[in-house]
Amino acid sequence: MPGTRGFLNIHLHAHLPFVVNHGTWPHGLEWLHEAAAETYLPLLQVLRRLGAEGIRARWSIDVSPVLLEQLAHPVFVREFPEYLRRKIQFAQEDEAFFAQAGEDHLRWLAQFWQQRYGDALSLFEELKGDLIAALRTEQERGSIDLLTCAATHGYMPLLGTDESVRAQWRVATAVHRRHFGVTPPGVWLPECGYRPAGYWQVPLLPDTDPRAYPGFHRIGVEEALEESSLHFFYADGHLVEGSDRFASPYSAMQQGNMPPPNLEGSDGQLYRSYTVQGSERPSRVAVLPRDPRTGYQVWSGDGGYPADGTYLDFHKKRWPGGHRYWRVTGPNVEMNAKHAYQPHEAEQQAREHARHFIGLVSESIAGATQEVERPVIAAPFDAELFGHWWYEGVIFLEEVTRLLARGEGTADRNMPQMVTPAEYLRREGTAMPLRLPEGSWGAGGDNRVWLNQDTSWTYARIYAAEYELRELCTGGAWRDGGLGERLAKQLCRELLLLESSDWQFLITTGAARDYAERRFREHDDAFGSLLRFWRAWRETGALDQEQIAGLVALEAQDSIFAEVNPEFWVRGAHAEPVPTAQGE
């Protein structure tokens, strides 16, 4: 990369909670269908178009293991084409309605949606229903780097045992290897939730006896990652700003007291990678700080790009089909005052915003080069932002990538070069070790989104289940190669699903509170039923027909993670890291 002044890493975090076999509409499988139609297939189409132009995007993408399992699930592969055909049919019905009403532009928009969903159906059929193989192909041709995430998106700071933390990553790497054939180089921490090593005790929760959960010295996230040969993660910028710095045995860089960055620019503190300081030594794990400036521009529905009045409005839909025909129009505009959507104007605006974004990144690089020789702007986003929440976001992302590949978009000599995290770390290495504080990218930068008065009951149940499963697995009776092993494995699956951070997020935000509470209770009940089956099996050496039927039903309903292994939950169990160079 001779002559490069700085780098841009665009990272997409693709995740949905497990919804297969757990409802369809308004909450359930429909979420997966929407994300596949509006985000995953359009992004694959972008990568293919860029590839046809000789452009390698160089994005990094993590696909959570629980999402991988759903994209490969026979139910999704079977039902998704039918979903697309229904969307086409609804658009045809809308076209007829608008024609009768004399609404020529809305009629044209209905044809627009027929074309969009028809294209999605054609691509899905061309891919033979295998989105994972398409991602694997893009990785093999060097267009993207595929990372992983915790198995079910468990929130690391609040999991109750080291074994549960480690199991989330051990299952994740095994599932990733099965689907993609390689070990992922790095990870996305769910909710950017980081926890350091140190003394910890289960939070004081209602109806929970703290004496049942004695305090202990817990591992930091970096230790679990290092054990699973995972070499880097992203953290929210405020965690780096609030970190302790250590003299690095690996870097000649000088320490300094640097003021925190702001949205007007940065002195470079957030535009480099760091080694994560473990409890006793620097780890072999690096952290890349999330850039708040680019994050605000792309994320914010108030002052960022998605708030532009020309873009498709997310909330106003025509039922029963759910198609959208109106634009944002302006701030705080009432639903009945929204103007009709103009796709060509919105596309042009997305291209202009792409140029603005490149200029913004170039400014940040210029402000950081006095402190960092070749800074990196880490810009991670939820993948579903592009296409689903912000319809034109896919156009924006494609244009940013194309302009940078062609050296266009700004005359600034600080124009960045696209890079993946692993590539950057191989070439540039890390700065001094940091001891990061606990925190997240949630509201307040702490744990309040996931642990509060509305969600504390969920953690009381999670902690009880984590301790029960650890004792059961440590006892070893499950190693019978038969019913005991099946029961233990399904208990592991139900605990993993119970630990998903999505339930607390949906409860706290109110986005789908009833569904989240019901889903949590379903997995808690499933765990309790399996525990009763286990105790009956231990007492009698067998299960009755009703119990066998219950086990079979749960195995069919929550049929994910073939690699799940009760050994992962044995007290003190941990993976042995494979010796490799950092970032590989």
Side-chain angles (χ1 to χ4, degrees), residues 38-295:
E38 298 168 21
T39 294
Y40 309 147
L41 282 173
L43 288 176
L44 281 169
Q45 192 66 278
V46 166
L47 291 170
R48 299 177 84 182
R49 278 197 299 269
L50 292 171
E53 299 172 25
I55 296 173
R56 295 188 305 156
R58 305 309 294 143
W59 308 335
S60 53
I61 303 176
D62 77 273
V63 187
S64 70
V66 70
L67 176 56
L68 282 175
E69 297 289 73
Q70 294 180 91
L71 293 176
H73 202 288
V75 169
F76 168 72
V77 176
R78 181 183 69 246
E79 295 293 330
F80 182 56
E82 295 306 312
Y83 166 82
L84 294 174
R85 293 185 183 100
R86 288 196 300 274
K87 297 295 284 188
I88 294 168
Q89 181 180 346
F90 283 127
Q92 291 169 341
E93 293 172 0
D94 288 350
E95 180 188 1
F97 175 84
F98 292 135
Q100 186 175 10
E103 297 278 5
D104 290 340
H105 181 67
L106 296 181
R107 177 188 177 189
W108 177 83
L109 283 176
Q111 295 171 344
F112 171 84
W113 289 123
Q114 292 171 49
Q115 182 66 48
R116 297 292 291 186
Y117 283 95
D119 290 345
L121 180 59
S122 296
L123 179 56
F124 191 71
E125 290 174 342
E126 179 187 340
L127 297 174
K128 296 181 172 55
D130 197 340
L131 275 64
I132 295 172
L135 286 169
R136 187 167 57 243
T137 297
E138 294 298 331
Q139 175 167 263
E140 289 169 351
R141 76 177 187 86
S143 180
I144 58 175
D145 263 10
L146 290 167
L147 314 184
T148 193
C149 182
T152 56
H153 216 256
Y155 184 62
M156 296 293 114
L158 293 176
L159 295 186
T161 68
D162 288 346
E163 293 80 12
S164 287
V165 169
R166 287 168 162 140
Q168 283 274 348
W169 297 111
R170 297 180 76 177
V171 171
T173 53
V175 171
H176 189 97
R177 281 194 295 266
R178 168 161 53 88
H179 285 294
F180 295 121
V182 295
T183 298
V187 309
W188 176 260
L189 296 184
E191 323 294 2
C192 274
Y194 174 79
R195 58 176 250 186
Y199 182 81
W200 189 76
Q201 191 160 20
V202 165
L204 186 62
L205 303 173
D207 303 319
T208 299
D209 184 354
R211 292 172 297 181
Y213 307 107
F216 65 99
H217 184 93
R218 70 178 183 177
I219 62 170
V221 169
E222 69 283 348
E223 186 171 339
L225 297 182
E226 186 173 337
E227 290 170 0
S228 289
S229 301
L230 301 166
H231 300 296
F232 59 84
F233 64 89
Y234 296 87
D236 205 59
H238 77 279
L239 297 186
V240 172
E241 293 168 355
S243 63
D244 295 327
R245 286 156 175 74
F246 290 79
S248 172
Y250 310 116
S251 172
M253 295 189 67
Q254 298 297 312
Q255 297 183 72
N257 295 318
M258 298 176 285
N262 56 55
L263 294 182
E264 299 303 318
S266 171
D267 57 12
Q269 185 180 9
L270 297 184
Y271 299 154
R272 66 183 91 190
S273 57
Y274 298 89
T275 296
V276 180
Q277 175 72 25
S279 59
E280 298 178 353
R281 61 170 178 82
S283 71
R284 290 168 54 88
V285 177
V287 58
L288 290 94
R290 182 177 77 98
D291 174 41
R293 195 179 185 203
T294 54

Side-chain angles (χ1 to χ4, degrees), residues 347-365:
E347 178 179 344
Q348 183 58 38
Q349 186 61 64
R351 297 188 189 283
E352 289 301 316
H353 279 153
R355 290 181 177 272
H356 179 269
F357 179 81
I358 292 172
L360 196 70
V361 172
S362 298
E363 288 176 12
S364 296
I365 288 173

